[in-house]
Amino acid sequence: MSTLAILEFPDPRLRTVAAPVTVFDAELKQFVADMYETMYAANGVGLAATQVNVHKRVLVADMSDERNQPMVLINPEILEKDGQQVYQEGCLSFPGIYADVTRALHVKVRAQDVDGNEIVVEAEGPLAVCIQHEMDHLAGKVFVDYLSPLKRGMLLKRMEKQRKASA
Ligand code: GNR
Ligand code: NI
């Protein structure tokens, strides 16, 4: 296993649209293990393959306090979504910045597991936020895209300042 490097904004590779996974082999299983290791090492609740510069439709998440409920969704598709919630989001690709984003409260997602078997996941609240946030990454979208230009500019300037201060 190994931890993978996480791309940080404004890296243009974060805008890549991921391709569907078609081969469910040992290499994919190794990649998923590396994504878990990377997510846990970075104390993230989720991670999309896009963030580690692999442009395939793979995401991992673990919303549990004990960090012992790993979930992987391959080729995820939203079947249903409803309701609305506002949640303060952060992103490993935007260190140190947080902002409220409005998303669906409840999502029903069809995906595949590492063996290629179909799974259907229903999620509400924070897990639903996380799944939508990760699915956005796979489409080349990031959470600051939802903010007003003014708010986005402020936060990105703040992030740049912190980056320089810690360099
Ligand atoms: O670790 C993460 N925390 C988080 C908090 C609120 C909403 C979404 C997230 S996902 C983020 C990890 C990440 O960047 N995934 O892409
Ligand atoms: Ni993110």
Side-chain angles (χ1 to χ4, degrees):
M1 295 224 292
S2 41
T3 57
L4 309 167
I6 298 175
L7 301 179
E8 291 185 7
F9 185 89
D11 195 309
R13 293 172 292 185
L14 286 170
R15 295 300 182 183
T16 311
V17 176
V21 171
T22 54
V23 182
F24 293 81
D25 60 1
E27 194 182 323
L28 177 68
K29 290 185 176 73
Q30 182 58 55
F31 174 59
V32 170
D34 290 345
M35 281 188 66
Y36 283 139
E37 190 178 341
T38 304
M39 174 180 70
Y40 289 127
N43 284 316
V45 297
L47 185 70
T50 310
Q51 292 176 281
V52 294
N53 200 32
V54 173
H55 302 289
K56 293 184 190 165
R57 295 185 57 77
V58 179
L59 70 84
V60 295
D62 187 342
M63 296 293 303
S64 69
D65 289 337
E66 301 77 22
R67 320 288 293 142
N68 60 2
Q69 285 173 49
M71 167 194 277
V72 59
L73 299 180
I74 298 173
N75 299 329
E77 301 294 341
I78 303 252
L79 297 177
E80 285 172 25
K81 59 176 170 177
D82 50 69
Q84 207 176 289
Q85 62 179 323
V86 179
Y87 196 85
Q88 183 175 275
E89 300 195 14
C91 181
L92 295 171
S93 298
F94 293 76
I97 72 166
Y98 302 89
D100 283 351
V101 177
T102 303
R103 297 190 189 269
L105 174 62
H106 166 259
V107 293
K108 184 171 175 180
V109 177
R110 181 181 54 220
Q112 285 166 285
D113 66 16
V114 276
D115 296 310
N117 300 311
E118 183 178 301
I119 51 177
V120 174
V121 175
E122 291 213 52
E124 219 176 80
L127 179 59
V129 169
C130 183
I131 290 173
Q132 292 172 82
H133 175 116
E134 304 313 338
M135 286 185 69
D136 272 354
H137 277 302
L138 301 179
K141 280 190 81 169
V142 291
F143 80 120
V144 301
D145 296 347
Y146 293 100
L147 309 179
S148 72
L150 184 68
K151 178 102 204 218
R152 180 166 57 238
M154 245 170 52
L155 286 173
L156 295 178
K157 201 184 276 179
R158 188 181 302 166
M159 187 176 89
E160 206 42 54
K161 233 183 205 168
Q162 287 172 359
R163 199 201 300 273
K164 281 187 186 133
S166 68

